[in-house]
mmCIF file of all heavy atoms in Angstrom:
data_model
loop_
_atom_site.group_PDB
_atom_site.id
_atom_site.type_symbol
_atom_site.label_atom_id
_atom_site.label_comp_id
_atom_site.label_asym_id
_atom_site.label_seq_id
_atom_site.Cartn_x
_atom_site.Cartn_y
_atom_site.Cartn_z
ATOM 1 N N LYS A 138 3.120 -17.708 -1.172
ATOM 2 C CA LYS A 138 3.401 -18.443 0.065
ATOM 3 C C LYS A 138 4.457 -17.738 0.908
ATOM 4 O O LYS A 138 4.359 -17.686 2.139
ATOM 5 C CB LYS A 138 3.862 -19.861 -0.266
ATOM 6 C CG LYS A 138 2.759 -20.809 -0.701
ATOM 7 C CD LYS A 138 3.338 -22.199 -0.943
ATOM 8 C CE LYS A 138 2.259 -23.210 -1.249
ATOM 9 N NZ LYS A 138 2.833 -24.563 -1.500
ATOM 10 N N ARG A 139 5.480 -17.211 0.252
ATOM 11 C CA ARG A 139 6.558 -16.564 1.011
ATOM 12 C C ARG A 139 6.061 -15.302 1.707
ATOM 13 O O ARG A 139 6.417 -15.051 2.868
ATOM 14 C CB ARG A 139 7.731 -16.261 0.082
ATOM 15 C CG ARG A 139 8.461 -17.521 -0.363
ATOM 16 C CD ARG A 139 9.645 -17.217 -1.243
ATOM 17 N NE ARG A 139 10.337 -18.446 -1.620
ATOM 18 C CZ ARG A 139 11.416 -18.491 -2.403
ATOM 19 N NH1 ARG A 139 11.927 -17.370 -2.891
ATOM 20 N NH2 ARG A 139 11.979 -19.641 -2.692
ATOM 21 N N TRP A 140 5.252 -14.514 1.021
ATOM 22 C CA TRP A 140 4.686 -13.328 1.665
ATOM 23 C C TRP A 140 3.757 -13.727 2.810
ATOM 24 O O TRP A 140 3.769 -13.119 3.881
ATOM 25 C CB TRP A 140 3.934 -12.474 0.649
ATOM 26 C CG TRP A 140 4.808 -11.681 -0.256
ATOM 27 C CD1 TRP A 140 5.022 -11.888 -1.594
ATOM 28 C CD2 TRP A 140 5.589 -10.525 0.086
ATOM 29 N NE1 TRP A 140 5.889 -10.944 -2.093
ATOM 30 C CE2 TRP A 140 6.245 -10.094 -1.091
ATOM 31 C CE3 TRP A 140 5.796 -9.818 1.266
ATOM 32 C CZ2 TRP A 140 7.086 -8.986 -1.110
ATOM 33 C CZ3 TRP A 140 6.630 -8.711 1.251
ATOM 34 C CH2 TRP A 140 7.267 -8.307 0.065
ATOM 35 N N ARG A 141 2.955 -14.769 2.575
ATOM 36 C CA ARG A 141 2.066 -15.244 3.644
ATOM 37 C C ARG A 141 2.875 -15.684 4.854
ATOM 38 O O ARG A 141 2.523 -15.361 6.002
ATOM 39 C CB ARG A 141 1.230 -16.411 3.120
ATOM 40 C CG ARG A 141 0.343 -17.073 4.181
ATOM 41 C CD ARG A 141 0.080 -18.525 3.853
ATOM 42 N NE ARG A 141 1.316 -19.312 3.809
ATOM 43 C CZ ARG A 141 1.375 -20.559 3.341
ATOM 44 N NH1 ARG A 141 0.281 -21.147 2.885
ATOM 45 N NH2 ARG A 141 2.533 -21.214 3.336
ATOM 46 N N ASP A 142 3.941 -16.425 4.617
ATOM 47 C CA ASP A 142 4.751 -16.937 5.721
ATOM 48 C C ASP A 142 5.409 -15.816 6.515
ATOM 49 O O ASP A 142 5.734 -15.990 7.700
ATOM 50 C CB ASP A 142 5.823 -17.902 5.196
ATOM 51 C CG ASP A 142 5.239 -19.199 4.673
ATOM 52 O OD1 ASP A 142 4.055 -19.474 4.957
ATOM 53 O OD2 ASP A 142 5.955 -19.926 3.950
ATOM 54 N N MET A 143 5.640 -14.667 5.882
ATOM 55 C CA MET A 143 6.210 -13.529 6.594
ATOM 56 C C MET A 143 5.150 -12.733 7.351
ATOM 57 O O MET A 143 5.475 -11.793 8.063
ATOM 58 C CB MET A 143 6.962 -12.616 5.618
ATOM 59 C CG MET A 143 8.291 -13.177 5.153
ATOM 60 S SD MET A 143 9.263 -11.992 4.168
ATOM 61 C CE MET A 143 8.379 -12.036 2.611
ATOM 62 N N GLY A 144 3.881 -13.088 7.170
ATOM 63 C CA GLY A 144 2.834 -12.464 7.962
ATOM 64 C C GLY A 144 1.833 -11.609 7.212
ATOM 65 O O GLY A 144 1.021 -10.923 7.844
ATOM 66 N N ALA A 145 1.854 -11.612 5.883
ATOM 67 C CA ALA A 145 0.933 -10.777 5.117
ATOM 68 C C ALA A 145 -0.520 -11.116 5.439
ATOM 69 O O ALA A 145 -0.901 -12.289 5.497
ATOM 70 C CB ALA A 145 1.186 -10.948 3.622
ATOM 71 N N ASP A 146 -1.330 -10.088 5.644
ATOM 72 C CA ASP A 146 -2.766 -10.277 5.847
ATOM 73 C C ASP A 146 -3.507 -10.335 4.514
ATOM 74 O O ASP A 146 -4.500 -11.049 4.384
ATOM 75 C CB ASP A 146 -3.332 -9.133 6.686
ATOM 76 C CG ASP A 146 -2.725 -9.104 8.079
ATOM 77 O OD1 ASP A 146 -3.016 -10.020 8.869
ATOM 78 O OD2 ASP A 146 -1.950 -8.173 8.364
ATOM 79 N N THR A 147 -3.023 -9.552 3.554
ATOM 80 C CA THR A 147 -3.630 -9.501 2.222
ATOM 81 C C THR A 147 -2.516 -9.394 1.193
ATOM 82 O O THR A 147 -1.515 -8.722 1.422
ATOM 83 C CB THR A 147 -4.566 -8.282 2.074
ATOM 84 O OG1 THR A 147 -5.579 -8.339 3.074
ATOM 85 C CG2 THR A 147 -5.224 -8.243 0.704
ATOM 86 N N ILE A 148 -2.705 -10.047 0.051
ATOM 87 C CA ILE A 148 -1.751 -9.959 -1.053
ATOM 88 C C ILE A 148 -2.481 -9.414 -2.268
ATOM 89 O O ILE A 148 -3.497 -9.971 -2.691
ATOM 90 C CB ILE A 148 -1.144 -11.335 -1.394
ATOM 91 C CG1 ILE A 148 -0.373 -11.895 -0.192
ATOM 92 C CG2 ILE A 148 -0.235 -11.226 -2.619
ATOM 93 C CD1 ILE A 148 0.105 -13.320 -0.391
ATOM 94 N N CYS A 149 -1.970 -8.312 -2.799
ATOM 95 C CA CYS A 149 -2.512 -7.757 -4.035
ATOM 96 C C CYS A 149 -1.778 -8.422 -5.202
ATOM 97 O O CYS A 149 -0.576 -8.239 -5.380
ATOM 98 C CB CYS A 149 -2.337 -6.242 -4.069
ATOM 99 S SG CYS A 149 -3.224 -5.460 -5.427
ATOM 100 N N ILE A 150 -2.502 -9.191 -5.964
ATOM 101 C CA ILE A 150 -1.924 -9.969 -7.053
ATOM 102 C C ILE A 150 -1.438 -9.038 -8.160
ATOM 103 O O ILE A 150 -2.007 -7.987 -8.414
ATOM 104 C CB ILE A 150 -2.976 -10.950 -7.608
ATOM 105 C CG1 ILE A 150 -3.432 -11.920 -6.516
ATOM 106 C CG2 ILE A 150 -2.440 -11.708 -8.802
ATOM 107 C CD1 ILE A 150 -2.356 -12.797 -5.961
ATOM 108 N N SER A 151 -0.362 -9.448 -8.840
ATOM 109 C CA SER A 151 0.194 -8.645 -9.928
ATOM 110 C C SER A 151 -0.902 -8.209 -10.897
ATOM 111 O O SER A 151 -1.599 -9.036 -11.493
ATOM 112 C CB SER A 151 1.255 -9.459 -10.683
ATOM 113 O OG SER A 151 1.754 -8.722 -11.784
ATOM 114 N N GLY A 152 -1.029 -6.906 -11.059
ATOM 115 C CA GLY A 152 -2.166 -6.356 -11.795
ATOM 116 C C GLY A 152 -2.071 -6.442 -13.293
ATOM 117 O O GLY A 152 -3.088 -6.372 -13.982
ATOM 118 N N ILE A 153 -0.864 -6.589 -13.843
ATOM 119 C CA ILE A 153 -0.762 -6.551 -15.294
ATOM 120 C C ILE A 153 -0.253 -7.863 -15.885
ATOM 121 O O ILE A 153 -0.104 -7.961 -17.098
ATOM 122 C CB ILE A 153 0.125 -5.381 -15.774
ATOM 123 C CG1 ILE A 153 1.585 -5.618 -15.432
ATOM 124 C CG2 ILE A 153 -0.362 -4.077 -15.202
ATOM 125 C CD1 ILE A 153 2.501 -4.574 -16.040
ATOM 126 N N SER A 154 -0.008 -8.868 -15.042
ATOM 127 C CA SER A 154 0.424 -10.151 -15.587
ATOM 128 C C SER A 154 -0.459 -11.312 -15.162
ATOM 129 O O SER A 154 -0.330 -12.410 -15.701
ATOM 130 C CB SER A 154 1.876 -10.449 -15.178
ATOM 131 O OG SER A 154 1.960 -10.689 -13.782
#
Side-chain angles (χ1 to χ4, degrees):
K138 284 182 175 179
R139 290 182 179 179
W140 284 109
R141 175 207 61 191
D142 291 346
M143 286 187 285
D146 297 291
T147 302
I148 299 173
C149 190
I150 299 298
S151 177
I153 70 173
S154 68

